[in-house]
Amino acid sequence: MLYQTTFDLSSRKKHSLALYPLITCLLCVSQKQFFLNNWHIFLQNCLSHLKNKDPKMSRVALESLYRLLWVYVIRIKCESNTVTQSRLMSIVSALFPKGSRSVVPRDTPLNIFVKIIQFIAQERLDFAMKEIIFDLLSVGKSTKTFTINPERMNIGLRVFLVIADSLQQKDGEPPMPTTGVMLPSGNTLRVKKIFLNKPLTDEEAKVIGMSVYYPQVRKALDSILRHLDKEVGRPMCMTSVQMSNKEPEDMITGERKPKIDLFRTCIAAIPRLIPDGMSKTDLIELLARLTVHMDEELRALAFNTLQTLVLDFPDWREDVFSGFVYFIVREVTDVHPTLLDNSVKMLVQLINHWKQAAQAHGKNQDCQRGVANGTTHTLPLERTPYSNVFHVVEGFALVILCSSRPATRRLAVSVLREIRALFAILEISKGDDELAIDVMDRLSPSILESFIHLTGADQVTII
């Protein structure tokens, strides 16, 4: 009785904002048959208001749809295939119009769309992947027709990761939507993007039933990353001449803003998803370059991904270190002293993370060792898997040790000392090779003695 009266009154414009939430509540707590008999009528009203010029009304309509869908899919478990397909298609077509570059309604927190697709995927995974996520990510589009649709792609990538994480962790059904947290400013609290760090392999994708979709999403991620790097990646690095004396607030505006937000999601998704078609070298170069991007959050995410690769993925360590060092030498240089110092500090942190990983494993698994008669045999430096990359890092440190800036020289010494500490933890025998810092410690006294008589009294005190 209450429902019909409320429903009739809701058609009046002055009552809509107040009564839509009430109708939604009445339907959500109703019995199954009552819900199925009435919800599709109210659903059409909600869909018709998604493009309402009043942003409050379009948001209320979306919130109602959001909750009704949860009841329909999660609590009631849908209807027959034909009816369910029809209902879901009407919702999807309204929210994500085919051929459109945006979503409806505009200027809505993307997390609501992510949740809506997650609800659908809970009972209709194939429909969610093929009819929604593939379309959002532009899966299968040729290079010529591929364009960046930031909001749609952001939603598609995030929901794929949410679904994969949920299936792998056996999270079960998503809970009933709650009211979003509002800040004093009136804005919705932003949800930080955190995904599992462990890569989703072909085998794991097969176990959770996503092996059919997984390769295509990886290829889409590759295309998205390449286009974003070209549009808002490389051109917006602080090493670029065009970015000199520019403030991030002035540059991250307009069309760039949603693209950079998509870029953040893509970088946060690595190494959970490794783009298919991009080599290790290219991916590490991209991540290294983003550590000098104008956007602070993107810089942090890129470096965090590099740290994760060093900490948890032994097969990537050599590539990360050599790629990062070559990037600094090639693109940062001492033309940008502050950027150079920050990059060297990051290199020190990466070495520290390797040390942590080695200590956590106790008996190091990064160097092959044999144990016989209770005696441990270590490989000499020149025969360890990492000998080349250690020499690259030491060589780089020696080059920046020649800097005219004392702060940079101190950082160079820190790099050399950290390499020595890493050697000790890895229990690598030096063999015929000697570490650069050991050579310096051994020869410094005699070198100083050879020219100290040429210096003044004030300089002798400093030395």
Side-chain angles (χ1 to χ4, degrees):
M1 188 175 178
L2 178 61
Y3 176 80
Q4 196 56 49
T5 306
T6 310
F7 180 78
D8 293 341
L9 286 171
S10 70
S11 61
R12 299 179 188 176
K13 191 175 180 181
K14 62 179 180 179
H15 296 316
S16 297
L17 274 175
L19 294 182
Y20 266 52
L22 177 57
I23 297 169
T24 304
C25 180
L26 291 171
L27 283 170
C28 288
V29 299
S30 67
Q31 294 182 349
K32 178 179 177 179
Q33 201 53 52
F34 184 89
F35 180 90
L36 291 175
N37 290 341
N38 293 279
W39 91 286
H40 61 281
I41 303 168
F42 182 56
L43 172 65
Q44 292 307 315
N45 292 353
C46 291
L47 295 177
S48 67
H49 278 295
L50 291 178
K51 290 186 177 180
N52 195 300
K53 291 180 181 179
D54 180 1
K56 287 183 180 178
M57 189 62 229
S58 62
R59 180 62 183 271
V60 165
L62 181 64
E63 292 276 357
S64 294
L65 165 63
Y66 177 40
R67 286 161 174 78
L68 291 172
L69 184 65
W70 182 89
V71 175
Y72 181 65
V73 177
I74 306 300
R75 182 160 74 83
I76 293 178
K77 306 296 180 192
C78 307
E79 299 170 86
S80 67
N81 284 338
T82 309
V83 175
T84 300
Q85 187 94 350
S86 173
R87 300 269 191 262
L88 295 181
M89 279 305 298
S90 66
I91 293 170
V92 170
S93 301
L95 296 175
F96 315 110
K98 293 280 185 184
S100 173
R101 296 195 63 191
S102 58
V103 293
V104 179
R106 293 173 179 269
D107 303 320
T108 303
L110 302 187
N111 199 49
I112 292 181
F113 297 107
V114 171
K115 286 287 186 184
I116 286 172
I117 303 169
Q118 185 191 5
F119 297 161
I120 295 172
Q122 185 68 28
E123 292 296 320
R124 295 287 190 275
L125 179 60
D126 195 62
F127 177 88
M129 288 301 307
K130 292 180 178 177
E131 297 296 333
I132 311 175
I133 296 172
F134 279 6
D135 181 56
L136 295 176
L137 293 176
S138 297
V139 166
K141 284 202 175 180
S142 65
T143 310
K144 290 182 180 179
T145 59
F146 190 94
T147 54
I148 293 293
N149 303 320
E151 287 186 332
R152 293 170 73 95
M153 290 175 166
N154 207 336
I155 294 165
L157 185 57
R158 282 169 62 179
V159 76
F160 177 82
L161 290 161
V162 166
I163 293 167
D165 288 2
S166 178
L167 288 170
Q168 205 165 0
Q169 296 177 121
K170 298 184 172 76
D171 286 343
E173 295 177 344
M176 173 77 175
T178 55
T179 305
V181 179
M182 299 294 287
L183 300 175
S185 61
N187 295 325
T188 306
L189 183 66
R190 186 174 176 185
V191 179
K192 194 174 181 181
K193 298 179 281 288
I194 301 173
F195 306 117
L196 291 179
N197 282 332
K198 191 178 179 184
L200 183 62
T201 62
D202 292 330
E203 190 60 38
E204 286 163 345
K206 191 175 181 180
V207 170
I208 62 175
M210 299 192 77
S211 57
V212 180
Y213 324 113
Y214 169 64
Q216 296 179 76
V217 173
R218 287 181 61 204
K219 286 176 183 174
L221 177 61
D222 175 60
S223 300
I224 293 169
L225 281 171
R226 291 182 188 278
H227 278 75
L228 287 174
D229 187 39
K230 186 179 177 182
E231 294 175 23
V232 293
R234 194 185 293 268
M236 293 187 69
C237 285
M238 291 184 283
T239 51
S240 170
V241 177
Q242 288 79 8
M243 294 298 116
S244 58
N245 301 319
K246 299 282 177 65
E247 293 297 324
E249 298 77 27
D250 300 328
M251 302 306 297
I252 306 172
T253 54
E255 286 190 1
R256 284 176 174 165
K257 196 170 184 178
K259 286 181 180 178
I260 286 174
D261 193 45
L262 171 60
F263 217 166
R264 292 169 185 157
T265 301
C266 292
I267 299 305
I270 303 168
R272 181 68 169 147
L273 278 182
I274 301 293
D276 184 11
M278 188 177 290
S279 67
K280 268 188 187 181
T281 306
D282 288 347
L283 180 56
I284 290 164
E285 183 184 340
L286 170 66
L287 292 170
R289 187 163 54 248
L290 291 178
T291 61
V292 293
H293 196 272
M294 288 201 80
D295 182 61
E296 184 180 2
E297 187 176 343
L298 195 51
R299 290 199 302 270
L301 287 167
F303 185 57
N304 186 58
T305 299
L306 288 170
Q307 290 179 100
T308 301
L309 290 170
V310 170
L311 261 175
D312 301 328
F313 304 94
D315 291 347
W316 283 74
R317 284 173 189 156
E318 187 171 357
D319 297 285
V320 169
F321 276 90
S322 57
F324 194 69
V325 168
Y326 287 137
F327 161 74
I328 300 172
V329 171
R330 189 173 58 252
E331 296 194 36
V332 182
T333 71
D334 52 5
V335 175
H336 311 278
T338 306
L339 290 180
L340 177 62
D341 286 358
N342 288 337
S343 295
V344 179
K345 286 174 185 174
M346 283 188 267
L347 180 60
V348 171
Q349 283 181 261
L350 289 175
I351 300 171
N352 265 314
H353 277 79
W354 192 343
K355 282 164 52 183
Q356 288 174 30
Q359 287 168 336
H361 282 81
K363 290 183 178 179
N364 183 17
Q365 297 174 0
D366 298 330
C367 291
Q368 295 177 355
R369 304 191 302 178
V371 179
N373 300 323
T375 306
T376 301
H377 301 283
T378 61
L379 287 172
L381 168 60
E382 64 273 12
R383 287 175 54 203
T384 65
Y386 300 116
S387 59
N388 289 338
V389 75
F390 287 151
H391 290 321
V392 166
V393 175
E394 282 191 312
F396 168 69
L398 290 174
V399 169
I400 59 171
L401 193 58
C402 303
S403 171
S404 59
R405 301 177 67 248
T408 306
R409 293 199 299 272
R410 281 194 291 271
L411 287 169
V413 173
S414 295
V415 171
L416 294 171
R417 283 175 177 161
E418 290 299 327
I419 285 289
R420 178 164 62 186
L422 179 59
F423 264 62
I425 293 168
L426 295 177
E427 299 180 13
I428 298 173
S429 167
K430 298 185 182 73
D432 295 331
D433 272 351
E434 207 173 347
L435 291 173
I437 191 74
D438 290 337
V439 174
M440 291 166 64
D441 285 348
R442 178 165 52 81
L443 297 179
S444 291
S446 57
I447 293 170
L448 280 171
E449 201 171 316
S450 67
F451 73 80
I452 200 166
H453 64 281
L454 301 173
T455 59
D458 55 335
Q459 291 174 315
V460 170
T461 307
I462 294 170
I463 294 171

